[in-house]
Amino acid sequence: MRSKYDVIVIGGGHAGIEAALAAARIGCRTLMLTQNLDTIGQMSCNPAIGGSGKGQLVREIDALGGAMGLNADATGIQFRMLNRRRGASARATRVQCDKKAYQLRLKALLEGTPSLFLEQAAVGEVLVKDRRVTGVKTELDRIIPADAVIVTGGTFLGGMLHIGRTSKIGGRMADSSSNLSESLGRLGFRIKRFKTGTPCRISRRSIEFSACEVQSGDFPIPRLSFENTKRGKDDLYTLNFDQAGQFHVEQIPCWLTRTTTETHKIIRGNLHTSPLYAGRVAGAGPRYCPSIEDKVVKFSEKTSHPIFLEPEGRHTLEFYVNGVSTSLPPEIQREFIRSIPGLHKAEILRPGYAVEYDYFPPTQLLKTLETKSISRLYFAGQINGTSGYEEAAAQGLMAGANAALKLKTGRELCLSRNESFIGILLDDLVEKGIEEPYRMFTSRADDRIKLRQDNAEERLSELAFKAGLITHARRAVVHKNQEFVERLKCVAVDTKIGGIPLAHLLKRPDFNSSDIPTEIKALAPVQTWDILKDEFKYAGYSHRQDLQNINWAQRGQERIPFGFDFTSIASLRSETQERLAAARPTSLGEASRISGVTAADISILHIVLKS
Ligand code: FAD
């Protein structure tokens, strides 16, 4: 057997999985090396995929042939469409998954993928000669040669776990850490530290559900993947459709409760035992996923915070307590959890904790995620300073595809900001850099009306096909669907109801798909009519946005007066005010390149400057 691989992927997390699958799909002999085969695809924190900004990323991953969306659909236990009442650009699917099933199905998918090999091994060193990667050396001193290497080590590099007054080495509770960053540091890469945390898990049998509010899944069930077929006859957890072609899953409810003033009092009284507040954790944490300690201190005027109780699977009693990420000592966690309605008798199965880890500032990368200084070495996922499974998976897919394309064709796969959220993610990371864990928001898009989750396939399938990421058959299905929607548009223009063309009626907010005459409605499923409604509704906005984009270059030149007080713009988020005030940009172009400043922020600034 040949011992050399085209591509080696280090890590079996969300980035590593998509990287390995993409490289193998493009035809590279690919090896995934990961510390533990049993933790492939493990969700270190909450067992859910998608959500605002992230659902859009998953749809794009799916359109590029990735596994995340279909895997979440196949193992989902609750499906919701978030922001249903807001515009189509904000709508996002979130799927609560059976945590173990999610992992098992991914492992089986990797195992069954041709040209993809799996091995349990911890990599200690990336081998380089003349600034080009030559392979890796495992911690057991085994050398494995490869033409390209993708590092996706997640929270494991230099990982340090904190809980109460105790700190120990680890990448995740019960998993070891990795010293790979020492080898990467010797190669000249800059390394910084970030932190994140997770809440406790409690037993279902100890929850008083009568004191909580039920949160049911949506029906019809929204999905993350565009694909309707199972992958093969041996597919685990395959998708179920009823006779009417409707996706069907038995959904499990989540529950809502709230912290109390007593909870906050306990937390406040024990802040000195929190590693975050005792000054033992230096790295910046995720602003949008604050710990309960942070919430109580920073939003001291609030007397209560919502807590979602989310089941971790169909065959376990474990519940994830969403909203109380903490690193307080276990006994304090028990005390404050028991002050929450419905949780007075809570049995904690796993305490919450914080993890601090190394990341590599992503300005050291090209847009293909290849490092600028070492040829054919790629970084993807949490190690680039992002936070979240979806952000990691998107990078993994792009790194895997680019490593394989470089070896096989010499070409690259680069997505622009205007065509995808993945393009925005990569652009922000490598161009703007980051100062805190990066997560995706729809507001980061210059043109979010165009970047809807429902049209991701339309936007990206041609590129995916050309890169070898999707099959001819899948592209044919996309074309067929597009033709069908175009035909339906003609029907909507030609059909009149009460003398008004259906195309006009569909634009009205009070007109629903259910108001369409039965014989016309029967031409397409409800979801397709909904897409059409959005297409008609946003056609005008889209056109205006195109014109705005043309003006963008001019707008970038617009000067900001010396000494301008950014904190006086009430409509800007306070974090944006802080960033602008610190950086003091002199033009809108400069302001737009500041990390964390979004397209929406620039529009606000533009309006204020004009007035
Ligand atoms: P991971 O999923 O971390 O996977 C890394 C993989 O690399 C693992 O399989 C590991 O075994 C392997 N590996 C590492 N080093 C080596 C090596 N040297 N050799 C071989 N294999 C190696 N995200 C959020 O968005 N919100 C949160 O609230 C949140 N909380 C979190 C709390 C905790 C305690 C942890 C640990 C993570 C949290 N995350 C959170 C982060 C989330 O888990 C990551 O965003 C996501 O898992 C990143 O995916 P990844 O593929 O980059 O890395």
Side-chain angles (χ1 to χ4, degrees):
M1 176 166 148
R2 279 186 298 150
S3 60
K4 187 174 178 189
Y5 292 89
D6 296 326
V7 178
I8 286 180
V9 176
I10 305 173
H14 308 277
I17 289 165
E18 297 292 353
L21 288 171
R25 267 202 315 281
I26 293 175
C28 283
R29 202 175 121 80
T30 304
L31 173 67
M32 175 193 276
L33 292 171
T34 190
Q35 288 170 317
N36 183 351
L37 289 178
D38 290 332
T39 58
I40 281 179
Q42 180 158 327
M43 303 198 213
S44 308
C45 200
N46 68 325
I49 299 289
S52 198
K54 293 165 175 270
Q56 281 83 348
L57 279 177
V58 182
R59 280 296 185 94
E60 292 181 2
I61 293 167
D62 186 75
L64 292 167
M68 184 171 250
L70 192 62
N71 202 60
D73 286 347
T75 59
I77 56 179
Q78 193 192 78
F79 297 71
R80 297 191 76 173
M81 180 69 81
L82 308 185
N83 306 324
R84 198 180 274 279
R85 297 223 176 91
R86 290 174 53 201
S89 56
R91 245 172 264 155
T93 309
R94 181 181 190 270
V95 181
Q96 177 89 21
C97 297
D98 182 312
K99 184 168 157 178
K100 278 291 154 197
Y102 185 88
Q103 284 178 250
L104 265 180
R105 189 180 178 282
L106 277 178
K107 181 161 177 272
L109 177 67
L110 294 168
E111 286 168 341
T113 300
S115 308
L116 177 54
F117 302 84
L118 304 184
E119 245 185 83
Q120 181 166 299
V123 174
E125 204 177 326
V126 169
L127 304 174
V128 171
K129 192 172 175 213
D130 301 330
R131 311 294 316 160
R132 175 188 278 197
V133 128
T134 58
V136 301
K137 191 171 170 186
T138 70
E139 284 182 359
L140 299 177
D141 281 345
R142 202 174 128 229
I143 289 178
I144 311 177
D147 289 327
V149 170
I150 305 172
V151 185
T152 69
T155 53
F156 290 71
L157 307 196
M160 181 66 86
L161 310 176
H162 303 276
I163 175 166
R165 292 195 172 89
T166 313
S167 298
K168 65 172 201 149
I169 289 172
R172 187 165 52 201
M173 200 53 91
D175 287 324
S176 54
S177 80
S178 156
N179 58 8
L180 185 60
S181 34
E182 283 170 26
S183 143
L184 296 169
R186 284 196 297 276
L187 291 173
F189 290 105
R190 274 180 296 123
I191 304 173
K192 288 185 157 186
R193 301 284 276 171
F194 272 161
K195 65 162 186 259
T196 186
T198 195
C200 62
R201 312 317 193 249
I202 59 174
S203 172
R204 182 193 165 90
R205 66 178 188 188
S206 64
I207 303 173
E208 291 160 44
F209 291 106
S210 56
C212 309
E213 192 184 309
V214 69
Q215 302 272 298
S216 301
D218 288 339
F219 197 85
I221 300 177
R223 287 186 48 203
L224 277 168
S225 173
F226 291 99
E227 278 198 88
N228 281 332
T229 50
K230 55 183 184 175
R231 292 213 188 235
K233 65 179 166 43
D234 300 326
D235 200 0
L236 287 165
Y237 306 103
T238 193
L239 307 180
N240 288 318
F241 295 92
D242 63 20
Q243 283 186 338
Q246 194 73 55
F247 177 53
H248 179 74
V249 179
E250 193 189 327
Q251 298 200 63
I252 303 179
C254 295
W255 300 84
L256 173 65
T257 178
R258 299 191 143 268
T259 57
T260 59
T261 48
E262 177 62 14
T263 319
H264 297 191
K265 196 170 140 210
I266 298 167
I267 293 167
R268 243 182 245 117
N270 287 284
L271 282 176
H272 59 286
T273 62
S274 161
L276 305 181
Y277 283 85
R280 288 215 327 274
V281 187
R287 185 188 288 263
Y288 310 103
C289 250
S291 65
I292 188 68
E293 293 94 297
D294 264 344
K295 286 191 214 172
V296 166
V297 172
K298 292 188 180 151
F299 308 102
S300 54
E301 71 288 358
K302 292 208 169 169
T303 52
S304 169
H305 293 284
I307 306 292
F308 293 93
L309 306 176
E310 303 177 340
E312 293 234 329
R314 292 188 193 280
H315 309 285
T316 174
L317 297 187
E318 264 188 84
F319 263 65
Y320 176 88
V321 190
N322 194 342
V324 288
S325 168
T326 182
S327 54
L328 283 164
E331 63 281 7
I332 310 295
Q333 293 188 31
R334 184 171 181 271
E335 197 185 336
F336 85 68
I337 285 288
R338 289 190 167 202
S339 68
I340 296 171
L343 306 186
H344 295 309
K345 295 180 189 158
E347 288 169 34
I348 294 188
L349 298 172
R350 304 175 203 238
Y353 65 96
V355 59
E356 201 188 358
Y357 55 91
D358 292 339
Y359 80 94
F360 302 86
T363 45
Q364 302 175 92
L365 304 174
L366 301 167
K367 273 209 188 133
T368 54
L369 296 180
E370 186 176 13
T371 63
K372 286 177 181 165
S373 58
I374 311 274
S375 173
R376 297 180 182 177
L377 176 62
Y378 296 76
F379 289 173
Q382 191 100 357
I383 63 159
N384 288 341
T386 57
S387 138
Y389 314 132
E390 303 79 0
E391 288 82 349
Q395 292 171 67
L397 190 149
M398 295 303 285
N402 273 305
L405 284 172
K406 184 163 185 175
L407 296 182
K408 291 275 169 194
T409 67
R411 285 187 283 117
E412 301 181 331
L413 174 65
C414 280
L415 303 178
S416 74
R417 292 188 78 88
N418 296 334
E419 67 192 335
S420 65
F421 276 97
I422 298 181
I424 293 168
L425 170 70
L426 299 189
D427 203 50
D428 283 352
L429 292 181
V430 309
E431 297 284 342
K432 293 187 177 183
I434 44 170
E435 283 137 30
E436 58 183 61
Y438 179 102
R439 70 153 284 182
M440 184 48 75
F441 291 106
T442 52
S443 59
R444 295 196 191 270
D446 309 329
D447 188 355
R448 48 182 161 164
I449 300 276
K450 276 211 175 123
L451 305 187
R452 302 190 309 271
Q453 62 163 13
D454 63 65
N455 66 5
E457 214 176 23
E458 202 178 304
R459 287 184 273 120
L460 300 177
S461 67
E462 203 52 38
L463 278 172
F465 177 71
K466 284 193 183 133
L469 289 168
I470 62 167
T471 60
H472 200 281
R474 172 130 185 223
R475 184 179 67 154
V477 172
V478 179
H479 280 176
K480 215 171 124 201
N481 289 344
Q482 278 170 337
E483 278 168 23
F484 179 66
V485 170
E486 287 309 314
R487 276 207 307 278
L488 216 55
K489 272 187 193 167
C490 295
V491 171
V493 169
D494 293 340
T495 306
K496 292 202 169 123
I497 303 171
I500 306 171
L502 177 57
H504 286 200
L505 291 171
L506 284 168
K507 289 187 202 174
R508 293 186 180 168
D510 55 342
F511 188 88
N512 291 314
S513 324
S514 53
D515 301 323
I516 302 169
T518 320
E519 66 282 8
I520 305 282
K521 195 166 70 185
L523 293 175
V526 179
Q527 291 91 330
T528 311
W529 281 113
D530 285 341
I531 292 173
L532 207 66
K533 195 166 149 63
D534 291 335
E535 295 247 334
F536 281 122
K537 198 159 135 195
Y538 295 115
Y541 292 104
S542 267
H543 180 63
R544 275 205 297 283
Q545 186 67 48
D546 285 344
L547 296 177
Q548 257 182 37
N549 289 347
I550 295 169
N551 288 335
W552 181 249
Q554 296 162 354
R555 200 192 277 186
Q557 309 287 327
E558 211 170 300
R559 309 301 302 168
I560 300 176
F562 180 75
F564 183 79
D565 181 10
F566 296 99
T567 56
S568 66
I569 311 177
S571 44
L572 282 179
R573 294 167 299 157
S574 56
E575 64 187 88
T576 311
Q577 292 178 1
E578 280 165 30
R579 283 186 175 140
L580 289 166
R584 298 178 177 278
T586 56
S587 69
L588 280 189
E590 251 180 77
S592 70
R593 286 188 290 278
I594 297 170
S595 170
V597 173
T598 66
D601 298 330
I602 296 297
S603 292
I604 294 173
L605 206 50
H606 166 69
I607 293 164
V608 172
L609 289 173
K610 279 262 167 206
S611 65

